[in-house]
Coordinates of all heavy atoms in Angstrom, one line a residue:
M225 N 0.8 -1.2 0.0 CA 0.0 0.0 0.0 C 0.8 1.3 0.0 O 0.5 2.2 -0.7 CB -1.0 0.0 1.2 CG -0.4 0.1 2.5 SD -1.6 0.5 3.8 CE -2.6 -1.0 3.8
I226 N 2.0 1.3 0.7 CA 2.8 2.5 0.8 C 3.4 2.8 -0.6 O 3.7 4.0 -0.9 CB 3.9 2.4 1.9 CG1 4.5 3.8 2.1 CG2 4.9 1.4 1.5 CD1 5.4 3.8 3.3
A227 N 3.5 1.8 -1.5 CA 4.1 2.1 -2.8 C 3.2 3.1 -3.6 O 3.7 3.9 -4.4 CB 4.3 0.8 -3.6
H228 N 1.9 2.9 -3.4 CA 1.0 3.8 -4.1 C 1.1 5.3 -3.6 O 1.1 6.2 -4.4 CB -0.5 3.4 -3.9 CG -0.8 2.0 -4.4 ND1 -1.0 1.8 -5.8 CD2 -1.0 0.8 -3.8 CE1 -1.2 0.5 -6.0 NE2 -1.2 -0.1 -4.8
V229 N 1.3 5.4 -2.3 CA 1.5 6.8 -1.8 C 2.8 7.4 -2.2 O 3.0 8.5 -2.6 CB 1.4 6.8 -0.2 CG1 1.4 8.2 0.3 CG2 0.1 6.0 0.2
L230 N 3.9 6.5 -2.2 CA 5.2 7.0 -2.7 C 5.2 7.4 -4.1 O 5.8 8.3 -4.5 CB 6.2 5.8 -2.5 CG 6.7 5.6 -1.0 CD1 7.4 4.3 -0.9 CD2 7.5 6.7 -0.5
E231 N 4.4 6.7 -4.9 CA 4.3 7.0 -6.4 C 3.7 8.4 -6.6 O 4.2 9.2 -7.4 CB 3.5 5.9 -7.1 CG 3.6 6.1 -8.6 CD 3.0 4.8 -9.3 OE1 1.8 4.8 -9.5 OE2 3.8 3.9 -9.6
S232 N 2.6 8.7 -5.8 CA 2.0 10.0 -5.9 C 3.0 11.1 -5.4 O 3.0 12.2 -6.0 CB 0.7 10.0 -5.2 OG -0.3 9.2 -5.9
A233 N 3.7 10.8 -4.3 CA 4.6 11.7 -3.8 C 5.7 12.0 -4.8 O 6.2 13.2 -5.0 CB 5.2 11.2 -2.5
A234 N 6.2 10.9 -5.4 CA 7.3 11.1 -6.4 C 6.8 12.0 -7.6 O 7.6 12.8 -8.1 CB 7.7 9.7 -6.9
A235 N 5.6 11.8 -8.0 CA 5.1 12.6 -9.2 C 4.7 14.0 -8.8 O 4.4 14.8 -9.7 CB 3.8 11.8 -9.7
S236 N 4.6 14.3 -7.5 CA 4.2 15.6 -7.1 C 5.2 16.7 -7.3 O 4.9 17.9 -7.2 CB 3.8 15.6 -5.6 OG 5.0 15.5 -4.8
G237 N 6.5 16.3 -7.4 CA 7.6 17.2 -7.6 C 8.2 17.6 -6.3 O 9.1 18.5 -6.2
A238 N 7.8 17.0 -5.1 CA 8.4 17.4 -3.8 C 9.9 17.1 -3.9 O 10.3 16.1 -4.4 CB 7.7 16.5 -2.7
E239 N 10.6 18.0 -3.2 CA 12.1 17.8 -3.2 C 12.5 16.6 -2.4 O 13.5 16.0 -2.7 CB 12.7 19.1 -2.6 CG 12.4 20.4 -3.4 CD 12.9 21.6 -2.7 OE1 14.1 21.5 -2.2 OE2 12.2 22.6 -2.7
R240 N 11.8 16.3 -1.3 CA 12.1 15.2 -0.4 C 10.9 14.5 0.0 O 9.8 15.1 0.3 CB 12.9 15.8 0.8 CG 13.4 14.8 1.7 CD 14.5 15.4 2.7 NE 15.7 15.7 1.9 CZ 16.7 16.3 2.5 NH1 16.7 16.6 3.7 NH2 17.8 16.5 1.7
V241 N 11.0 13.1 0.1 CA 9.9 12.3 0.5 C 10.5 11.5 1.7 O 11.5 10.8 1.6 CB 9.4 11.3 -0.6 CG1 8.3 10.4 0.0 CG2 8.9 12.1 -1.8
I242 N 9.8 11.6 2.9 CA 10.3 11.0 4.1 C 9.3 10.0 4.6 O 8.1 10.2 4.6 CB 10.4 12.1 5.2 CG1 11.3 13.3 4.7 CG2 11.0 11.5 6.5 CD1 11.2 14.5 5.5
I243 N 9.8 8.8 4.9 CA 9.0 7.8 5.5 C 9.3 7.7 7.0 O 10.5 7.5 7.4 CB 9.2 6.4 4.9 CG1 8.9 6.4 3.4 CG2 8.3 5.3 5.6 CD1 9.2 5.1 2.7
S244 N 8.3 7.8 7.9 CA 8.5 7.6 9.3 C 8.0 6.2 9.7 O 6.9 5.9 9.5 CB 7.7 8.7 10.1 OG 7.8 8.4 11.5
T245 N 9.0 5.4 10.2 CA 8.6 4.0 10.4 C 9.4 3.4 11.6 O 10.5 3.9 11.9 CB 9.0 3.1 9.1 OG1 8.7 1.8 9.4 CG2 10.4 3.3 8.7
H246 N 8.9 2.4 12.2 CA 9.6 1.6 13.2 C 10.4 0.4 12.6 O 11.1 -0.2 13.3 CB 8.6 1.0 14.2 CG 7.9 2.1 15.0 ND1 6.7 2.5 14.8 CD2 8.4 2.8 16.1 CE1 6.3 3.4 15.7 NE2 7.3 3.6 16.5
H247 N 10.2 0.2 11.3 CA 10.7 -1.0 10.6 C 12.0 -0.6 9.9 O 12.0 0.0 8.8 CB 9.7 -1.5 9.6 CG 10.0 -2.8 9.0 ND1 10.9 -3.7 9.5 CD2 9.6 -3.3 7.8 CE1 11.0 -4.7 8.6 NE2 10.2 -4.5 7.6
A248 N 13.1 -0.9 10.5 CA 14.4 -0.5 9.9 C 14.7 -1.0 8.5 O 15.3 -0.4 7.7 CB 15.6 -0.9 10.8
A249 N 14.2 -2.2 8.2 CA 14.4 -2.8 6.9 C 13.2 -2.6 5.9 O 13.0 -3.4 5.0 CB 14.6 -4.4 7.1
L250 N 12.5 -1.6 6.1 CA 11.3 -1.3 5.3 C 11.5 -1.3 3.8 O 10.9 -1.9 3.0 CB 10.6 -0.1 5.8 CG 9.3 0.3 4.9 CD1 8.2 -0.7 5.1 CD2 8.8 1.7 5.4
L251 N 12.6 -0.5 3.4 CA 12.8 -0.4 2.0 C 13.2 -1.7 1.3 O 12.8 -2.0 0.2 CB 13.9 0.7 1.7 CG 13.6 2.1 2.2 CD1 14.6 3.1 1.7 CD2 12.2 2.5 1.6

């Protein structure tokens, strides 16, 4: 599910996209 949000964030033109997570190996 987070991939869909990341895709929209990437297309928005934002200079930086930050994920706040407890999961160190998330990526």
Side-chain angles (χ1 to χ4, degrees):
M225 68 168 66
I226 194 174
H228 298 285
V229 188
L230 285 169
E231 190 169 87
S232 291
S236 73
E239 299 172 42
R240 183 163 292 179
V241 178
I242 307 162
I243 302 174
S244 174
T245 178
H246 293 99
H247 185 25
L250 176 63
L251 295 187

